[in-house]
Amino acid sequence: MMAALPPALDHALADLLGDGWRTDASERLTYGYDNSRRHAMPDAVALPTTAAQVQALVRACRVHRVPIVARGRGTNTTGAAVPAAGGVVVSFERMDRVLAIRPGDRCAVVEPGVLNGDLQAALAAHGLFWPPDPTSAAFSTVGGNLACNAGGPRAVKYGASRDNVLALTAVTGAGELVHCGSATTKGSTGYDLQRLLVGSEGTLALVVEATLRLTPAPQARGALRAVYRDVASAARAVARLMAQPVTPSMLEFMDHHAVRLARDVGGADLPHAAGALLMIEADGDAATLPHALEALRHAAHGHGTGDGVISIDAADDEAARSRLWAARKTLSPALRTLAPGKINEDVVVPVSRIPDLVDGVQRLAASFDLPIVCFGHAGNGNLHVNLMFDPTDPAQSTRAHEAMAGVFDLALELGGTLSGEHGIGLAKRDFMPRAIDPPTLALMRAIKAQFDPDGILNPGKLLPP
Amino acid sequence: MMAALPPALDHALADLLGDGWRTDASERLTYGYDNSRRHAMPDAVALPTTAAQVQALVRACRVHRVPIVARGRGTNTTGAAVPAAGGVVVSFERMDRVLAIRPGDRCAVVEPGVLNGDLQAALAAHGLFWPPDPTSAAFSTVGGNLACNAGGPRAVKYGASRDNVLALTAVTGAGELVHCGSATTKGSTGYDLQRLLVGSEGTLALVVEATLRLTPAPQARGALRAVYRDVASAARAVARLMAQPVTPSMLEFMDHHAVRLARDVGGADLPHAAGALLMIEADGDAATLPHALEALRHAAHGHGTGDGVISIDAADDEAARSRLWAARKTLSPALRTLAPGKINEDVVVPVSRIPDLVDGVQRLAASFDLPIVCFGHAGNGNLHVNLMFDPTDPAQSTRAHEAMAGVFDLALELGGTLSGEHGIGLAKRDFMPRAIDPPTLALMRAIKAQFDPDGILNPGKLLPP
């Protein structure tokens, strides 16, 4: 942990930012957390309102080698927004404007601090949406979504953050303002720096303006809930669903533990023989939606074979849709009945390896004597592995962390990787050498050094020490 | 131009590659061209068969600071595959295997030298396709497509090369084998190096294996040909088509010159009042396709207003579809009746700026007294601007190149960029400082230096001197 801020820097940034410069301990405290439940105290908090202020701030901090941690609203789950090395937290809460919505160009220009949910509300008036829909959408920022390449259930059809950005303006760790990409849906003009910035967790540059790729909003949607005898049957259905032409707009999976919890604790209406569940959605218009749902039902049902199917229920309206989703919604609170502590990691594997992932996870659960519950975005092979333990029991905590290391190794063995949409931050940083080989990791470090020659941007995150 | 190869390197690579090492002038000659009609003589041609050979070759060339130019089949239009600084052309024609097709994971693993068309044929048996479909698809390689971020008409719905790659294995200019990305459709594990490599034109690394994202093949397609009074009316229709939920699978535009050529020279059945034309396609299945086409027709027609519409014809079968496309197909040969020489550049602008682009191009045509014909991928704002001139007339050649510089400036003024899918190569390299500001360009150079510390990979391409 570094010492307090150099007085010259403190004065310069107070002059630059006025009441957007905070050094009171009580104010700093609340900017030290993120949703990983880690905390570290920053030396100051900056609330810039313009790109020019961000650039001046970075240049000033660079002179004094003071760390800078970009912050949206702290919903990150990996510690990426925690100022572990002290320094200045730059919160983008005052740079929250939607600067332009251009329906004919299918794009919007925004400041990084706009809430995902506020943007979606502004876009809805134009019949458009921005695809990333993390669970936190109502209270997470576009800048934060870009920083960790946030996805969500819709990503199976519409892509994650990286797939839905056209151009970024950003300030590098050298204090340079760079313009990456163009407001066009095709581009082959030099190196693609904008997608490189997405998922870089504030370690390369601070995004000050984003031009986002938009999609016209579908007019209607419909849901199916397919219940299977076992995980293997459900996983085969996922592979069938992803191999036919109608891409579902959501394809969510719950393993047998999740199904049991939803039924026995959450009170969901699910048969006792249920060993796995898929929530399948399609979207479209009134004319095409019934055909899309029929195609999905056909694939879910094994093209007529009934392969492992117990039941498939359809929702024709929003009320019925909510009833079908109830099983999924009860899950998070129900999990807490298993144990007070939870490690939730979002490994990703090729879709065909989902059964191997779920089987392997259950072997780890048995071997470490801890419950592990899997559910998540099956169409992307992106499962949330929830490892339940009592954090007040040191032996359980140790076993939980060992088991999670086993989950990472398993995902990598299956051809997958550490994170689908949460990112690396502090939580998975030490596992990076298992996922990325030494020359590739060395190249990542070398690239980081070009953007941030003094290593002041979010030090200690993403790349292992 | 450098001197002949160092004898030690010649011997070492002859030992390494056997008959895959060619130094005869007659053999080298044919590897010096690409489709930009530029030519430069390489000092040798290497035909590796394995990633290990590629790595050994790069390491050997690095010792002697000998340039390396990766080559697919030379269909590039920008000079990117021409060995302008001599050295070794590495042709991937012997690394052309499809290593795996995994329908359940929607991915294929290929060597870089496989032809796009051969891959599509292999995928069709599984009901899948890889979206990039450049005009050269039958005889261009996947590696070449990745090198310039190739697109094609389908990109409006399915994306270009960069949108359809999951993982790349590549050899950097330092001779390191790097593994970028994972075979999963979501990923947030470190910096996204695989998309950085796409469009880098062999200046960062040589791709030796690619894991491609696949899409299930639609079962049916249908076409509409919409004829408008003028370019502005057609451009408004493009904006309407892109703002509604049914994304066309192709949306091609022809300006008034292109329409006139297709009719008067190509013999296409088009009315004399036609001032612009759109070819609009949808794909889907038998149940949904009619609805999709109706939605597109409705938008093309101005939602009932008939805004500038002369006629909208539909094709219900493949024969009728071919007749509608005839106007577009006759265009390239018909262009040659205007002048023997052609500069074809693929600038891209936001869709809403297409009318401004076409208007501005016609002002340039008048001012430089040369015919300019625009057509191309309207749904992406990616127009092919064809500047016709007589290359044996020095005054016309000079005016043609000045006019093209004007086209680039125009595209940039309109918020667009230099290239949508052809890339930069030698042709647009000197215009890069107009498109990319100094700090961003400096960052691109710094990144290049990390991948290729001695600058041996495709020197002189993409980045200005």
Side-chain angles (χ1 to χ4, degrees):
Chain A
M1 184 67 71
M2 64 169 299
L5 286 183
L9 179 66
D10 186 9
H11 297 148
L13 292 181
D15 281 352
L16 176 74
L17 296 165
D19 90 319
W21 180 246
R22 309 287 174 82
T23 53
D24 284 1
S26 60
E27 295 227 53
R28 289 185 281 133
L29 184 72
T30 55
Y31 289 90
Y33 289 99
D34 71 11
N35 196 33
S36 73
R37 307 190 179 191
R38 288 172 177 81
H39 184 263
M41 194 72 164
D43 297 304
V45 177
L47 310 172
T49 57
T50 66
Q53 284 186 347
V54 175
Q55 189 173 17
L57 182 157
V58 172
R59 290 183 169 187
C61 286
R62 189 182 176 199
V63 169
H64 297 279
R65 303 287 191 274
V66 167
I68 294 171
V69 182
R71 183 181 181 84
R73 293 293 175 103
T75 58
N76 191 288
T77 63
T78 68
V82 171
V88 178
V89 165
V90 179
S91 169
F92 284 96
E93 65 200 73
R94 293 183 174 183
M95 291 178 69
D96 65 346
R97 290 179 299 167
V98 176
L99 300 172
I101 297 174
R102 291 156 39 190
D105 297 329
R106 287 191 177 187
C107 78
V109 185
V110 304
E111 291 182 327
V114 66
L115 296 186
N116 179 310
D118 288 350
L119 172 63
Q120 307 291 2
L123 296 175
H126 299 272
L128 294 162
F129 70 105
W130 189 52
D133 62 336
T135 309
S136 63
F139 38 93
S140 66
T141 67
V142 168
N145 295 166
L146 294 172
C148 65
N149 192 23
R154 276 197 304 232
V156 64
K157 180 167 181 177
Y158 297 106
S161 295
R162 188 177 283 127
D163 305 305
N164 291 287
V165 61
L166 300 177
L168 295 175
T169 305
V171 177
T172 67
E176 297 286 358
L177 189 73
V178 292
H179 295 86
C180 310
S182 56
T184 55
T185 51
K186 259 186 184 171
S188 192
T189 303
Y191 303 143
D192 191 308
L193 303 183
Q194 66 275 21
R195 288 180 183 79
L196 183 65
L197 291 182
V198 177
S200 68
E201 303 182 358
T203 63
L204 299 180
L206 307 188
V207 172
V208 293
E209 187 179 296
T211 302
L212 305 174
R213 182 177 183 234
L214 305 178
T215 301
Q219 291 154 10
R221 62 182 173 181
L224 300 172
R225 190 183 72 184
V227 178
Y228 296 88
R229 278 202 297 271
D230 48 41
V231 165
S233 302
R236 285 195 300 275
V238 170
R240 284 193 304 270
L241 285 158
M242 294 307 293
Q244 54 83 49
V246 178
T247 299
S249 54
M250 295 190 188
L251 178 47
E252 299 290 297
F253 165 86
M254 287 167 55
D255 77 357
H256 46 299
H257 289 299
V259 167
R260 190 185 54 72
L261 274 176
R263 184 187 59 225
D264 296 350
V265 182
D269 171 28
L270 287 167
H272 272 270
L277 180 154
L278 297 179
M279 284 299 307
I280 308 162
E281 290 209 354
D283 57 22
D285 55 36
T288 59
L289 185 60
H291 299 288
L293 286 169
E294 186 48 38
L296 295 176
R297 177 196 282 270
H298 192 61
H301 194 262
H303 303 305
T305 67
D307 176 23
V309 176
I310 291 177
S311 64
I312 302 183
D313 293 303
D316 295 328
D317 58 33
E318 283 296 309
R321 181 176 172 273
S322 294
R323 281 196 300 278
L324 289 190
W325 275 99
R328 173 69 183 75
K329 301 273 181 197
T330 63
L331 203 49
S332 284
L335 273 177
R336 297 286 175 187
T337 64
L338 292 181
K342 179 175 84 166
I343 303 178
N344 166 14
E345 295 300 355
D346 75 313
V347 294
V348 56
V349 294
V351 166
S352 66
R353 310 309 297 272
I354 291 174
D356 302 307
L357 178 64
V358 176
D359 285 355
V361 162
Q362 290 317 316
R363 281 196 303 275
L364 289 166
S367 142
F368 288 95
D369 191 24
L370 290 169
I372 309 185
V373 182
C374 291
F375 56 90
H377 317 309
N380 291 114
N382 181 204
L383 292 200
H384 293 257
V385 176
N386 293 270
L387 208 150
M388 309 308 299
F389 68 107
D390 179 354
T392 64
D393 176 339
Q396 278 200 32
S397 286
T398 302
R399 295 208 308 279
H401 285 90
E402 286 172 1
M404 195 44 77
V407 171
F408 292 141
D409 284 338
L410 174 64
L412 294 170
E413 275 164 33
L414 296 173
T417 190
L418 300 176
S419 174
E421 58 186 12
H422 291 176
I424 301 301
L426 291 168
K428 305 187 187 180
R429 182 190 65 169
D430 296 338
F431 298 100
M432 283 288 277
R434 303 190 193 191
I436 315 279
D437 59 29
T440 313
L441 205 48
L443 199 52
M444 290 185 184
R445 288 187 202 282
I447 289 170
K448 155 86 172 167
Q450 307 316 303
F451 280 86
D452 180 24
D454 297 302
I456 60 172
L457 294 188
N458 216 359
K461 311 297 173 61
L462 191 145
L463 294 166
Chain B
M1 183 68 73
M2 66 168 298
L5 287 182
L9 179 66
D10 185 10
H11 297 148
L13 292 181
D15 280 353
L16 176 74
L17 297 165
D19 90 321
W21 179 246
R22 308 287 174 82
T23 53
D24 284 358
S26 60
E27 296 227 51
R28 288 184 283 134
L29 184 73
T30 55
Y31 289 91
Y33 288 99
D34 71 11
N35 196 33
S36 72
R37 307 192 180 188
R38 288 173 177 79
H39 184 263
M41 194 71 165
D43 297 305
V45 177
L47 309 171
T49 56
T50 65
Q53 284 186 346
V54 175
Q55 189 174 17
L57 182 158
V58 172
R59 290 183 167 187
C61 286
R62 188 181 178 200
V63 169
H64 297 278
R65 302 289 192 274
V66 167
I68 294 172
V69 182
R71 182 182 183 83
R73 292 293 175 104
T75 59
N76 190 287
T77 63
T78 67
V82 171
V88 178
V89 166
V90 179
S91 169
F92 284 96
E93 64 199 76
R94 293 183 174 183
M95 291 177 70
D96 66 346
R97 289 179 300 167
V98 175
L99 300 172
I101 297 174
R102 291 155 41 190
D105 296 329
R106 288 191 177 188
C107 78
V109 185
V110 305
E111 291 182 326
V114 66
L115 296 186
N116 179 310
D118 289 350
L119 172 63
Q120 307 292 2
L123 296 175
H126 299 272
L128 294 163
F129 71 104
W130 188 52
D133 61 337
T135 309
S136 63
F139 39 92
S140 66
T141 66
V142 168
N145 296 165
L146 294 171
C148 64
N149 192 22
R154 277 197 303 232
V156 64
K157 180 166 181 178
Y158 297 106
S161 295
R162 187 177 283 126
D163 305 305
N164 290 287
V165 62
L166 300 176
L168 295 175
T169 305
V171 177
T172 68
E176 297 286 357
L177 190 72
V178 292
H179 295 85
C180 310
S182 56
T184 55
T185 51
K186 259 186 185 171
S188 193
T189 304
Y191 302 143
D192 189 310
L193 302 184
Q194 66 275 20
R195 287 178 184 81
L196 183 65
L197 291 182
V198 177
S200 69
E201 304 183 357
T203 63
L204 299 180
L206 307 187
V207 171
V208 293
E209 188 178 297
T211 303
L212 305 174
R213 181 176 183 233
L214 306 178
T215 301
Q219 291 153 10
R221 62 181 172 182
L224 300 171
R225 190 184 71 185
V227 178
Y228 295 88
R229 278 202 297 270
D230 48 41
V231 165
S233 303
R236 285 195 299 275
V238 170
R240 284 194 302 271
L241 285 157
M242 294 308 293
Q244 54 82 49
V246 178
T247 299
S249 54
M250 294 189 188
L251 179 47
E252 298 290 297
F253 166 85
M254 287 167 54
D255 77 357
H256 45 300
H257 289 301
V259 167
R260 189 185 54 72
L261 275 176
R263 184 185 60 224
D264 296 350
V265 182
D269 172 27
L270 288 167
H272 272 269
L277 181 154
L278 297 180
M279 285 298 308
I280 309 161
E281 291 208 355
D283 58 21
D285 55 36
T288 59
L289 185 60
H291 299 287
L293 285 169
E294 186 47 39
L296 294 176
R297 177 196 283 270
H298 191 61
H301 194 261
H303 302 304
T305 68
D307 176 22
V309 175
I310 292 177
S311 63
I312 301 182
D313 294 302
D316 295 328
D317 57 34
E318 283 297 309
R321 181 177 173 272
S322 294
R323 281 196 300 278
L324 289 191
W325 275 98
R328 174 68 183 78
K329 300 274 183 198
T330 63
L331 203 50
S332 285
L335 274 178
R336 295 287 176 188
T337 65
L338 292 180
K342 180 176 83 167
I343 303 178
N344 166 13
E345 295 301 354
D346 75 313
V347 294
V348 57
V349 294
V351 166
S352 66
R353 309 310 296 273
I354 290 175
D356 302 308
L357 178 65
V358 176
D359 285 354
V361 162
Q362 290 317 318
R363 280 196 302 276
L364 289 166
S367 140
F368 288 96
D369 191 24
L370 290 170
I372 310 184
V373 183
C374 292
F375 55 91
H377 316 310
N380 291 114
N382 181 203
L383 292 200
H384 293 257
V385 176
N386 292 270
L387 207 150
M388 309 309 297
F389 68 107
D390 179 353
T392 65
D393 176 340
Q396 278 200 33
S397 286
T398 302
R399 295 206 309 278
H401 285 89
E402 286 171 3
M404 195 44 78
V407 171
F408 292 142
D409 284 339
L410 176 63
L412 294 169
E413 276 165 32
L414 296 173
T417 191
L418 300 176
S419 174
E421 57 185 13
H422 291 175
I424 301 301
L426 291 168
K428 305 189 187 180
R429 181 191 67 169
D430 295 338
F431 298 99
M432 284 289 277
R434 302 190 193 191
I436 314 279
D437 60 29
T440 313
L441 205 49
L443 199 51
M444 289 186 185
R445 287 187 203 282
I447 289 170
K448 154 85 173 170
Q450 307 316 302
F451 280 87
D452 180 24
D454 298 301
I456 60 173
L457 293 188
N458 215 1
K461 312 298 173 61
L462 192 144
L463 293 166

